[in-house]
Amino acid sequence: MSRAVAVVAERWPLRETFTIARGSKHEARVVVVTISEAGATGRGECVPYARYGETLASVIDQVRQLQDRLAAGMTRAELLEALPPGAARNACDCALWDLEARRAGQPVWRLAGLAAPRPVVTAYTISLAEPVAMAKAAARQAHRPLLKVKVGATQVMERIRAVRTAAPAAQLILDANEAWTPEQLAQLLPDLATAGVALLEQPLPAGQDECLAQLRRVVPVAADESCHVAADVTGLAGRYDLVNVKLDKTGGLTAALELVQAAEAAGLGLMIGCMVSTSLAVAPAMLLCEGAAFVDLDGPLLLAADRAGGLKLHDHRLQPPTPELWG
């Protein structure tokens, strides 16, 4: 029996402007793939990311080029060979997992041999702004146990101190999104440790992070832009302490599972992250959170409104997805 395959772009307004070192956004732009077979429908969502040369149009075109093969029964293994890591492969892979689960009447976590997902504390992001504005934003979120603070190349400690003063009880993650120089990193690390920063994410540009191996990392450093798939792990050991696993980078849950296994084998800790998206994109990542040192799956929390059946937050913990949403 052939499948029906559809791909659409969607736009989801944000609650407020989201700003990082390389720009701002006012809405989440996502691509949703649906694959239907024998009365069951699987869904997958991805976020095209300009940092990796992706647009809504380019991702939709990638999916459409595979539409006939997907309709004819393409497997997840074949998909890994047909598309490179990235958003398009992610949406297709997650849709295939969802479809398989619905046809089998079994949850994805069981089909993948994983532990059942449990509620997890997720970081909540404080966007890059002037220190006073970031302090106000942090004060509104001071009840949350884990905050992720976006910074650029300037006023780093001013921003951290402003957030720390406004949210004294929260654990802090710092994300520079490749904005620093090696000299700046070496200078800032002791101050970040003094300020109680629990994790520093991708301070240096990908491909220019060799100096991390020579630095005394008094704050653990996580690779984000420097780590996409399992094959990247070999070059990260000794430079980083953790890797940030994002399905839009790995190109789906299948490749993300491979990356998790490779990272653990190399002695690297895990951070599970996401792009700014709806709960449909985040639901598969919930399956990876067992054993993760940090979880950063706040994408749906940043939206003005999430899709129906979206992930729920209870007692600061993100709840596992319902079968109606995904998996």
Side-chain angles (χ1 to χ4, degrees):
M1 181 180 293
S2 66
R3 300 166 173 166
V5 181
V7 55
V8 297
E10 297 178 350
R11 297 171 185 260
W12 295 81
L14 303 186
R15 182 174 295 140
E16 55 191 29
T17 301
F18 181 81
T19 302
I20 66 173
R22 63 174 67 97
S24 300
K25 63 169 62 182
H26 308 282
E27 62 183 5
R29 300 180 180 184
V30 308
V31 172
V32 177
V33 172
T34 57
I35 305 175
S36 302
E37 181 180 9
T41 297
R43 301 187 298 168
E45 178 186 313
C46 68
V47 181
Y49 200 37
R51 166 67 177 81
Y52 305 127
E54 297 172 333
T55 65
L56 287 174
S58 72
V59 168
I60 289 174
D61 184 60
Q62 281 183 292
V63 176
R64 285 178 175 163
Q65 288 182 33
L66 285 186
Q67 207 156 357
D68 289 345
R69 293 181 62 187
L70 287 165
M74 172 180 266
T75 65
R76 288 183 285 104
E78 291 168 339
L79 177 66
L80 287 179
E81 297 297 323
L83 281 180
R89 194 173 79 182
N90 177 30
C92 295
D93 182 76
C94 290
L96 287 172
W97 272 111
D98 193 27
L99 176 64
E100 181 180 345
R102 295 182 190 283
R103 294 205 64 197
Q106 298 285 335
V108 170
W109 61 264
R110 184 169 289 144
L111 294 176
L114 303 172
R118 295 184 293 181
V120 292
V121 172
T122 178
Y124 187 90
T125 303
I126 305 299
S127 286
L128 176 62
E130 289 300 312
V132 171
M134 293 182 73
K136 291 179 179 178
R140 294 194 294 270
Q141 307 301 333
H143 60 286
R144 300 183 187 273
L146 181 61
L147 296 178
K148 177 172 173 174
V149 184
K150 292 287 189 177
V151 296
T154 62
Q155 293 185 294
V156 174
M157 292 312 303
E158 290 86 345
R159 291 181 165 102
I160 289 297
R161 293 186 185 108
V163 170
R164 170 54 73 211
T165 300
Q171 191 176 36
L172 299 184
I173 297 171
L174 188 64
D175 188 1
N177 286 112
E178 306 180 278
W180 295 359
T181 65
E183 295 76 18
Q184 187 176 19
L185 172 61
Q187 182 179 13
L188 283 170
L189 273 174
D191 291 335
L192 298 181
T194 300
V197 172
L199 180 70
L200 174 60
E201 192 178 346
Q202 196 69 43
L204 304 174
Q208 302 176 36
D209 49 9
E210 299 89 348
C211 73
L212 285 171
Q214 281 74 51
L215 283 178
R216 181 169 173 262
R217 298 188 298 275
V218 291
V219 174
V221 180
D224 183 1
E225 287 87 347
S226 289
C227 183
H228 292 240
V229 294
D232 296 331
V233 168
T234 302
L236 302 177
R239 298 182 185 182
Y240 292 94
D241 305 289
L242 300 90
V243 297
N244 189 346
V245 182
K246 293 180 180 176
L247 272 66
D248 277 313
K249 292 189 303 174
T250 64
L253 179 62
T254 303
L257 291 169
E258 295 175 355
L259 173 55
V260 167
Q261 186 176 31
E264 290 177 339
L268 292 165
L270 297 176
M271 177 180 186
I272 309 302
C274 67
M275 305 300 188
V276 182
S277 64
T278 81
S279 286
L280 180 58
V282 170
M286 291 285 293
L287 276 60
L288 304 173
C289 294
E290 186 74 20
F294 296 93
V295 172
D296 178 27
L297 298 178
D298 66 340
L301 306 180
L302 305 176
L303 302 180
D306 195 4
R307 68 173 72 248
L311 298 171
K312 305 300 182 185
L313 198 67
H314 177 67
D315 193 25
H316 304 306
R317 293 180 180 271
L318 200 62
Q319 305 298 303
T322 63
E324 290 75 23
L325 176 65
W326 184 87

